[in-house]
Amino acid sequence: MAIRPIRAAEEWAASERKSGMDLEAAVGGQIRELRKIKKLTLTQLAQAAGISVGYLSQVERNQSKLPIGVLKKLSDALGVHMNWFFNGNMQAAPGERDIVVRKAHRRRLTFTGLGIAEELLSPNLAGPLELLLSTIEPGADSEEYSHDGNEAGIVIVGQLNLWVDGKLFQLEEGDSFSFSSTSQHRCANPGTVPAKVVWVITPPHY
């Protein structure tokens, strides 16, 4: 299972070197960004990835080489697939990279076994909010969880069952919602077609 993403990453790195993009410069800042979103210290992430704190600090500041094998360890520790770093908005034109996300450049994530796929619509996770498009397959269920912040959303296709502190809301296309993320919440698709939901989350939580 690990061979394909590593091979894809190696191919991506080779192609970007030809185009003048540096792998470390493209990824180091994203590692720091994601670490801070997940409220991990340099020490915690370094220990989880089996590398030194000093080396991780250099990687985040684009001052050290980043082998694919080390990136794989960091990805695992951060809870993302390696393609998070390679399908991002860094492929966009430099003048719009931090403002606009073209459809072809969205970061896409699939949660294996849950039937939920997410696309990051905001350019990055460094700002005050996170904009996501979730595709929830029929019968898929996020299970219950909570976190800091607030979130809102709108169902743009299909149906969504939303639970907030145990209360069920049955939503249809065009219905919107907002609640405190500290409340226990859960969503599921009771319909027969994939549901699409746009979420706004502040602060970024991914």
Side-chain angles (χ1 to χ4, degrees):
M1 295 291 289
I3 294 176
R4 289 184 62 190
I6 289 177
R7 184 173 299 159
E10 290 171 340
E11 292 171 354
W12 181 91
S15 67
E16 295 307 319
R17 278 193 292 269
K18 290 179 182 178
S19 68
M21 178 177 282
D22 180 68
L23 172 63
E24 290 80 19
V27 173
Q30 294 184 66
I31 292 173
R32 180 178 62 250
E33 179 182 284
L34 199 51
R35 174 178 64 79
K36 289 183 176 180
I37 292 300
K38 290 178 175 288
K39 295 182 171 58
L40 294 173
T41 65
L42 277 167
T43 299
Q44 289 171 326
L45 179 56
Q47 289 178 342
I51 60 178
S52 73
V53 174
Y55 174 57
L56 175 58
S57 177
Q58 290 179 340
V59 165
E60 288 191 350
R61 289 178 287 130
N62 306 315
Q63 294 178 349
S64 186
K65 293 294 182 182
L66 179 59
I68 293 296
V70 174
L71 180 58
K72 176 63 167 62
K73 293 178 181 178
L74 287 167
S75 300
D76 289 344
L78 289 166
V80 298
H81 295 294
M82 284 177 59
N83 64 5
W84 170 265
F85 299 104
F86 305 117
N87 291 341
N89 210 34
M90 59 186 140
Q91 301 173 50
E96 64 182 41
R97 190 171 298 158
D98 294 326
I99 299 174
V100 175
V101 179
R102 302 293 179 183
K103 183 177 180 179
H105 297 158
R106 292 176 187 168
R107 298 182 191 180
R108 293 174 171 82
L109 295 167
T110 300
F111 296 88
T112 303
L114 284 183
I116 299 174
E118 292 188 337
E119 299 172 67
L120 184 64
L121 303 182
S122 42
N124 53 56
L125 296 173
L129 59 82
E130 172 183 352
L131 188 63
L132 290 173
L133 172 62
S134 294
T135 300
I136 306 169
E137 297 298 326
D141 191 321
S142 71
E143 302 181 354
E144 195 171 64
Y145 66 107
S146 64
H147 53 90
D148 292 339
N150 293 274
E151 55 197 277
I154 182 169
V155 180
I156 58 175
V157 176
Q159 299 174 297
L160 184 75
N161 279 352
L162 175 68
W163 289 263
V164 179
D165 282 338
K167 185 175 182 179
L168 171 62
F169 302 90
Q170 297 176 305
L171 307 177
E172 304 284 343
E173 183 175 318
D175 292 341
S176 54
F177 54 87
S178 178
F179 57 88
S180 170
S181 304
T182 58
S183 299
Q184 289 290 323
H185 54 282
R186 167 188 166 205
C187 64
N189 180 359
T192 58
V193 300
K196 290 188 178 292
V197 184
V198 173
W199 302 81
V200 179
I201 303 169
T202 182
H205 172 69
Y206 174 71

